[in-house]
Amino acid sequence: MGRSRRTLPEELLLLALDPATGTTAQPQSLDLGLAGAQLVELALAGRIAPDGDRIAVVVPRPTGDPTLDCALELLRRRGAPVRAVHWIGGPRLGLRQVYLSHLERCGMVAAVPGQMCGVLPTTRYQATDNEISREIRARLDSAIRTGVPPDPRTAALAALAHAVGLGKHLYPGNEGRSSRSRLRDLIRHDPMGGLVAHAVMDVQNGVAAQPRRSPAPAPAGRQAAGPVRAAPEPARGVPMQPRHGSMARVVAH
């Protein structure tokens, strides 16, 4: 995969990056959106495909993008298709910082050191070329304004932006209400984008557990204690990382 085209995780992060403050909007849900954006990008590259509500690896060949290939390899190691909601809800927090550092290496953002409360060292990120962010935003605006079905990449970007709550950041206030509604409606134009967007929202709503099992039969003369719930499928392959209020405001090492 060449660098002539930005990936969906990069575009989603650039959409979330506030050019005035250098911080990211919706930091708590953005990691989930970036994990979902990786799945859509891998699907667009022909490496994975939806299998119901699961994700299956169909071509394990690397894409050439290190961050995407790491996700692809972890999916391949699972052996069997994995539910999108379990993959996105797994302990892959920290993707914001991974992609911020990646965008810095690519020259798309610049790290600006600073201090929090005049004591703690922090790092903010400023886009080096605001034209890139404007171009991404213009694609969404055009899809919302014209009502013409967008291309799959733009439709998936819109679905993910809605899923992580960027609508109120991109189209704030009462005047942006209709645009937020149309942004949400774009979710139907790309099946893979819709699948991962709904998975992102399900994780945020706590709907990430396996379907319930049938209650075990109660022993004779005794009443069953209640339904047995299946434990959530454990996520493997990536160590747990701490949550941060905003990965665009991190303590410098």
Side-chain angles (χ1 to χ4, degrees):
M1 181 180 294
R3 295 301 306 152
S4 60
R5 182 169 62 186
R6 295 176 299 275
T7 65
L8 274 173
E10 293 168 0
E11 292 194 327
L12 183 65
L13 183 53
L14 287 171
L15 270 183
L17 192 62
D18 189 318
T21 65
T23 60
T24 53
Q26 300 301 111
Q28 284 75 27
S29 56
L30 193 54
D31 276 313
L32 303 176
L34 291 171
Q38 286 183 322
L39 292 181
V40 178
E41 191 64 51
L42 287 171
L44 290 171
R47 301 309 196 268
I48 65 175
D51 181 6
D53 67 345
R54 296 174 182 267
I55 303 298
V57 175
V58 293
V59 177
R61 185 177 69 252
T63 66
D65 182 294
T67 52
L68 291 175
D69 289 341
C70 178
L72 179 62
E73 175 61 14
L74 291 172
L75 284 166
R76 186 194 66 78
R77 290 179 186 175
R78 299 296 289 267
V82 58
R83 289 184 69 201
V85 70
H86 287 152
W87 174 261
I88 291 170
R92 267 171 294 280
L93 300 177
L95 280 178
R96 278 167 291 162
Q97 188 57 50
V98 169
Y99 272 102
L100 283 168
S101 299
H102 171 70
L103 290 178
E104 184 184 11
R105 290 192 299 270
C106 293
M108 293 188 198
V109 301
V112 180
Q115 288 185 330
M116 181 184 298
C117 302
V119 179
L120 297 175
T122 62
T123 303
R124 297 173 184 267
Y125 293 85
Q126 300 288 345
T128 57
D129 185 357
N130 287 328
E131 184 60 32
I132 295 176
S133 297
R134 285 193 290 266
E135 182 273 327
I136 298 170
R137 173 69 179 270
R139 282 165 41 210
L140 288 185
D141 290 345
S142 177
I144 287 173
R145 183 178 63 255
T146 64
V148 176
D151 62 276
R153 181 174 294 274
T154 301
L157 181 62
L160 289 163
H162 166 70
V164 302
L166 287 184
K168 59 187 177 183
H169 167 71
L170 299 171
Y171 307 103
N174 288 332
E175 64 274 16
R177 184 177 301 172
S178 61
S179 293
R180 293 195 299 271
S181 177
R182 288 193 289 271
L183 180 71
R184 180 194 63 223
D185 291 343
L186 291 175
I187 200 170
R188 70 181 187 275
H189 289 293
D190 179 60
M192 185 66 180
L195 170 65
V196 299
H198 282 111
V200 167
M201 290 185 285
D202 282 347
V203 172
Q204 294 180 82
N205 292 329
V207 189
Q210 289 274 20
R212 296 181 182 181
R213 295 173 183 166
S214 299
R222 299 177 63 184
Q223 187 176 5
V228 178
R229 298 176 184 268
E233 177 181 320
R236 296 169 290 176
V238 178
M240 178 71 76
Q241 298 191 34
R243 292 180 180 268
H244 296 277
S246 171
M247 291 302 293
R249 303 177 62 181
V250 297
V251 177
H253 295 285

